[in-house]
Amino acid sequence: MRTRAHILLIVCIGGLALSGCSTFKSSKRLNLAPFAEDMIAVAGDIQYGLGQTYPVYLRGYSETPEAAKMSAMALKIRAIIRGAISYALEVVTLADSRLSGPQRTQALGDKIEELMRPVVAPPSQALNITPAELDTILADVRSQKNLLDGLNAAQPIINEIARVSGEIFEETKLTLDAAANATQREIEATVAPVLSRDAMLRNYQLQGTAAIDLVGRHRRGDPAAMDSLVILIPSVSEVASREDGLSPAELHAIEERLIYALEAVSTVRRQLAPDIELYWKQQAELEELVASFNTALRQARVAIIAWSRAHQRLASGITDPAEIDIFGIAKKAAGDYLPLP
């Protein structure tokens, strides 16, 4: 009996060895959760950087045509990133669902159609896929019998989305530069009279302090000091008696006049100081906003590249989370692609 049992066990194991590979492969559960989780994490900071910050000192400088186009481009990119995240979540949901294979691929086709909407929405870039070709690919996706084959059929569309997104990011960078330059011109035009007057007043201050130094040099016996003072401040000649020499009272009167003029200039400069301080704060805020947006653009480009490459690995049948690590793919993509200039 024991020998029979051993023989039966060997036969069963042998049968499984012959037929079990296909059985296990067909019943293998797809663990695609990391695909969506990593995509969300990689794209986490992008939405904030793409226009979610609110200017404080630059209010009123966002009405230029360049700024309006920049806002439209930011909305488009945010929609593309949201679509990629939503698509990744949908793939995970379909993999875990109790739907049949054809039902899953039907739903996948619907999601891909939804994914394309923000890509082709204005302001749009030219596609390398015609509407007829797009319809053919979607029909092919929906005709597949299982999800992995559907993902594989969808890969040309994913590749095209990644390509077009890259062009959108490049155009957005150019639009950002134009918007920043337009804002800079408006700021400069507004503050130019203030800066001009402040520069003039600062020159008066420098002249005044130099004049006071010349008075001190005259007291110390420098014979050329008073001539230099009259050349620098011609009105001093009204007080100075150059032929008879300067009395202590005259020197004191000159100093009093110079100090009074310096105090008057300083008072006016203090009145201009808030406008000048606002100008520098606007400069700093503009630089910060541009830097933040540029960082978000780089992150968005890398995220879309990583998303499309991870999708390609999924479509080829790789379901091991370590093989579809979006963080690793993103790091590699960031090294392969130079940052936006």
Side-chain angles (χ1 to χ4, degrees):
M1 294 294 293
R2 181 175 300 177
T3 301
R4 284 185 178 180
H6 285 169
I7 293 173
L8 181 60
L9 179 60
I10 291 171
V11 171
C12 288
I13 292 174
L16 286 173
L18 293 174
S19 63
C21 290
S22 60
T23 301
F24 289 149
K25 183 176 181 180
S26 63
S27 62
K28 181 180 180 181
R29 180 181 180 275
L30 304 180
N31 180 22
L32 304 186
F35 175 59
E37 293 168 359
D38 290 355
M39 184 61 199
I40 293 171
V42 168
D45 295 333
I46 297 174
Q47 299 287 47
Y48 177 79
L50 293 174
Q52 295 288 9
T53 53
Y54 298 98
V56 175
Y57 303 109
L58 293 176
R59 291 177 182 175
Y61 289 97
S62 58
E63 303 301 325
T64 63
E66 295 87 351
K69 183 178 180 182
M70 184 69 250
S71 297
M73 296 297 289
L75 288 173
K76 185 179 182 71
I77 293 176
R78 287 202 297 269
I80 291 173
I81 297 298
R82 282 197 305 268
I85 294 173
S86 177
Y87 176 81
L89 291 171
E90 179 69 8
V91 169
V92 174
T93 300
L94 290 175
D96 290 340
S97 72
R98 296 182 178 274
L99 296 174
S100 66
Q103 288 175 322
R104 293 179 183 183
T105 56
Q106 284 286 335
L108 182 66
D110 294 342
K111 194 64 181 180
I112 293 172
E113 275 195 291
E114 180 182 323
L115 180 64
M116 285 294 297
R117 289 172 192 160
V119 177
V120 300
S124 59
Q125 298 284 335
L127 296 176
N128 287 344
I129 298 178
T130 66
E133 290 171 335
L134 181 61
D135 290 340
T136 299
I137 295 172
L138 288 173
D140 187 30
V141 171
R142 293 186 171 107
S143 68
Q144 300 303 314
K145 302 303 181 184
N146 61 69
L147 183 59
L148 282 182
D149 288 343
L151 293 173
N152 187 52
Q155 190 61 42
I157 294 179
I158 301 301
N159 292 341
E160 181 64 4
I161 290 174
R163 185 195 68 79
V164 173
S165 296
E167 292 188 357
I168 292 171
F169 300 150
E170 293 291 345
E171 182 182 351
T172 303
K173 177 62 175 70
L174 297 176
T175 304
L176 172 64
D177 292 341
N181 290 335
T183 300
Q184 182 66 41
R185 288 193 297 270
E186 283 201 2
I187 294 172
E188 295 289 349
T190 301
V191 78
V194 175
L195 294 179
S196 176
R197 284 164 177 75
D198 184 68
M200 180 183 64
L201 292 170
R202 183 174 182 273
N203 188 52
Y204 288 161
Q205 284 181 320
L206 293 175
Q207 287 181 342
T209 55
I212 291 176
D213 178 63
L214 287 172
V215 172
R217 286 165 56 186
H218 175 77
R219 278 202 176 98
R220 292 190 296 271
D222 184 347
M226 188 52 57
D227 289 336
S228 298
L229 177 61
V230 172
I231 293 172
L232 183 63
I233 311 290
S235 61
V236 170
S237 61
E238 300 174 3
V239 180
S241 300
R242 299 177 61 188
E243 295 181 359
D244 301 333
L246 292 172
S247 67
E250 288 174 325
L251 284 176
H252 181 71
I254 292 173
E255 285 180 323
E256 286 292 321
R257 173 173 290 191
L258 293 174
I259 292 172
Y260 174 80
L262 280 175
E263 289 177 347
V265 169
S266 296
T267 298
V268 177
R269 288 199 73 191
R270 282 195 296 271
Q271 292 173 345
L272 298 178
D275 291 331
I276 296 174
E277 183 180 2
L278 175 61
Y279 167 73
W280 290 115
K281 287 180 177 179
Q282 289 170 337
Q283 295 294 308
E285 187 171 71
L286 181 60
E287 290 180 5
E288 182 180 349
L289 290 175
V290 170
S292 174
F293 211 107
N294 274 326
T295 298
L297 280 177
R298 286 192 294 270
Q299 290 174 334
R301 180 165 68 175
V302 169
I304 289 297
I305 292 170
W307 170 78
S308 64
R309 290 182 181 177
H311 187 280
Q312 189 170 30
R313 294 187 181 186
L314 283 176
S316 67
I318 297 174
T319 57
D320 182 356
E323 296 295 324
I324 56 172
D325 173 25
I326 286 187
F327 283 113
I329 298 173
K331 184 177 180 181
K332 176 68 165 55
D336 289 346
Y337 287 80
L338 294 176
L340 289 163

